[in-house]
Amino acid sequence: MPVVILPDAPEPRDKWLTRQEADRLLGAAQRTEHLKRFIQLGLHTGSRTNAILSLTWDRIDLAAGVMMRRGYGESESKTKKTPPVRLGKRILDLLREWRAMDGAHGKYVVQWNGQKIKQIHRAFYRAAKEPGVRASPHTLRHTRATWVMQHGDVPPWEATGHLGMSLKT
């Protein structure tokens, strides 16, 4: 059997956005509704890309202010937790606005002409390039975690539960 030597594992990604970088990114996404929604949800919930892109309106309780990251009947992996999210006032207001825009017929929160978006990377990188923001869609998750911890009014164990991360992460 041949011996394969693998390269060392890369350093963990620790990039996160400042408020100014996030504002510039959102400014560049204003013309693209689905990208604007994706970025807002990422910044306000810290959800993974797939959780945001597969998010349907029936998994958001606007009255209770809770978003279910995992679809009904979907299993949760041991490493990628998908706990429900308590939504803040700002993202709830945006969600209500988007729901009114979509009407009763829209299924997905982040959608293109009513259809589910399979990938967001091209649109995201194009928007990030315009204002010179170095980020990936996953950077939104790091940003949310960093902002929650910087704010300081949430105990670390509560933040990890909210984000579906380990305390070490």
Side-chain angles (χ1 to χ4, degrees):
M1 177 155 305
V3 176
V4 177
I5 299 173
L6 297 175
D8 293 335
E11 289 294 315
R13 293 179 280 177
D14 59 356
K15 171 72 176 138
W16 55 275
L17 301 177
T18 64
R19 302 262 179 199
Q20 294 78 19
E21 289 172 321
D23 287 344
R24 291 197 329 257
L25 182 60
L26 277 168
Q30 285 306 310
R31 298 179 307 273
T32 312
E33 183 66 25
H34 66 281
L35 181 59
K36 180 176 69 172
R37 290 182 185 196
F38 175 84
I39 293 169
Q40 289 282 14
L41 283 164
L43 291 173
H44 286 277
T45 69
S47 298
R48 290 181 177 85
T49 298
N50 287 340
I52 295 172
L53 294 180
S54 63
L55 182 63
T56 53
W57 283 109
D58 63 342
R59 292 176 17 209
I60 298 175
D61 185 337
L62 293 171
V66 175
M67 179 181 100
M68 304 302 288
R69 286 188 175 113
R70 189 171 3 119
Y72 303 107
E74 290 179 12
S75 60
E76 182 174 67
S77 80
K78 290 182 180 182
T79 58
K80 299 194 179 202
K81 303 296 181 190
T82 52
V85 181
R86 256 183 313 143
L87 301 168
K89 180 182 176 354
R90 194 169 187 189
I91 192 67
L92 268 172
D93 289 344
L94 287 170
L95 285 162
R96 287 184 182 106
E97 180 183 318
W98 299 339
R99 186 63 180 146
M101 285 171 56
D102 291 355
H105 303 291
K107 179 178 179 181
Y108 295 96
V109 179
V110 177
Q111 46 85 19
W112 177 259
N113 291 333
Q115 300 300 308
K116 180 180 180 181
I117 295 175
K118 292 181 176 75
Q119 63 89 19
I120 197 91
H121 289 82
R122 266 190 312 212
F124 187 93
Y125 288 124
R126 197 172 329 131
K129 184 178 181 181
E130 184 179 315
V133 175
R134 292 193 57 198
S136 70
H138 194 75
T139 303
L140 303 176
R141 183 165 166 76
H142 291 249
T143 300
R144 179 63 185 167
T146 302
W147 287 0
V148 166
M149 295 313 299
Q150 284 178 338
H151 202 264
D153 61 346
V154 176
W157 60 267
E158 190 174 322
T160 61
H162 161 78
L163 293 163
M165 294 179 174
S166 68
L167 193 53
K168 180 182 175 187
T169 303

